[in-house]
Amino acid sequence: LLSLMDTAYVGRVGATELAALGACTSIFHLAFNAFRATTTATTSLVGNAETEDERRQIIKVSLSLGALLGVIVMLILEASGSWCLATMGVPRRSPLYPSAISYLRTRLWAAPAVLGIVVAEGAFRGYGDTTIPLLASLVASFINLILDPILMFPLGMGVAGAAAATGISQVGAAAVYAYFLFKRSMLPLKGHKSNVRSMKIVNTILGANLAMICKQGSLLLAWAYATARATRIGSAHVAAHQVALSCWLVFA
């Protein structure tokens, strides 16, 4: 939904900006979904835990791992943003590059919040609660819907405004999860020692993500080829590619 909203508003700016957004959306989709198995792994671990203490410790370790992975993703995208765009068919000499790199570098700072959301969703699912994940998604969508036009047009931030709105909305969703995690006492008490082996939890989550990373690697090649081909044909074709991708992300 966030990508679809960005597409709708950026499309009013121009085809070049929309084409630049297409490459960035593909990059973020691949980067974040490479760790999507974290949700399933956390759900399984929390759901199969024998005691409440064990559940709390699993959630704590999973959230810490998610935040760490988010920082790693953020740093990698910051260091290799230009290379990623070039792989997607947007080299530095491309007219799409200024808008694309602006969106990429503005939105990447929210990566830790995104990976935290992925883990928190799994934690609530482990308790059989799908209401909070839905609420967090609605809050993120509402924030993005409000901030997108404000940051892009009255404040004149353009494509970077769309990226900032999306990043802020993801932080907003993370805040919703944090509120209910503390309200429902789903985290260990301060100073409490647990017998749960943290490395076992980490190994389970990383093992689940390994297959997903391999899958995303193959998708990366396909998306890079499709986006690069569309870019070489023209920005209008990349804009069409972006609209198709956003719709696919909603219905997939």
Side-chain angles (χ1 to χ4, degrees):
L1 286 175
L2 300 183
S3 296
L4 193 60
M5 290 178 193
D6 283 352
T7 301
Y9 283 112
V10 173
R12 299 181 182 182
V13 179
T16 299
E17 289 76 11
L18 187 58
L21 177 65
C24 292
T25 299
S26 296
I27 291 171
F28 283 113
H29 171 67
L30 293 166
F32 294 146
N33 279 276
F35 301 100
R36 189 64 191 174
T38 303
T39 300
T40 305
T42 303
T43 299
S44 178
L45 288 168
V46 172
N48 291 321
E50 296 180 355
T51 65
E52 191 63 29
D53 173 66
E54 186 178 354
R55 290 191 183 92
R56 290 171 178 168
Q57 191 65 20
I58 288 171
I59 294 172
K60 176 186 175 182
V61 174
S62 299
L63 286 172
S64 299
L65 179 60
L68 176 61
L69 291 174
V71 171
I72 292 173
V73 169
M74 179 180 68
L75 294 176
I76 290 176
L77 289 178
E78 176 65 35
S80 62
S82 296
W83 177 84
C84 291
L85 288 173
T87 303
M88 290 294 178
V90 187
R92 290 180 181 273
R93 64 179 181 277
S94 170
L96 308 180
Y97 183 81
S99 295
I101 196 66
S102 176
Y103 185 94
L104 186 72
R105 288 179 174 168
T106 302
R107 183 176 170 182
L108 61 81
W109 61 266
V114 175
L115 270 297
I117 289 170
V118 168
V119 173
E121 180 183 340
F124 281 95
R125 284 186 180 184
Y127 276 91
D129 186 346
T130 56
T131 302
I132 300 305
L134 175 61
L135 176 62
S137 298
L138 292 175
V139 168
S141 298
F142 179 76
I143 293 174
N144 197 48
L145 181 65
I146 298 300
L147 290 184
D148 249 345
I150 294 175
L151 296 179
M152 287 181 64
F153 303 115
L155 297 183
M157 293 178 65
V159 176
T166 299
I168 293 171
S169 67
Q170 290 168 330
V171 172
V176 171
Y177 279 118
Y179 172 78
F180 283 101
L181 283 169
F182 284 106
K183 182 179 180 180
R184 298 184 180 181
S185 301
M186 294 170 63
L187 294 173
L189 299 175
K190 188 176 182 180
H192 176 74
K193 293 184 178 180
S194 174
N195 295 323
V196 179
R197 294 176 57 188
S198 299
M199 283 308 302
K200 183 179 180 180
I201 299 171
V202 172
N203 290 336
T204 300
I205 293 175
L206 291 180
N209 279 289
L210 182 60
M212 184 65 73
I213 291 173
C214 293
K215 172 189 173 184
Q216 292 302 111
S218 62
L219 283 176
L220 174 61
L221 296 176
W223 283 124
Y225 175 78
T227 306
R229 288 286 298 173
T231 304
R232 293 188 181 97
I233 295 173
S235 61
H237 292 77
V238 189
H241 173 271
Q242 163 63 5
V243 173
L245 172 61
S246 296
C247 292
W248 179 80
L249 289 176
V250 170
F251 294 107

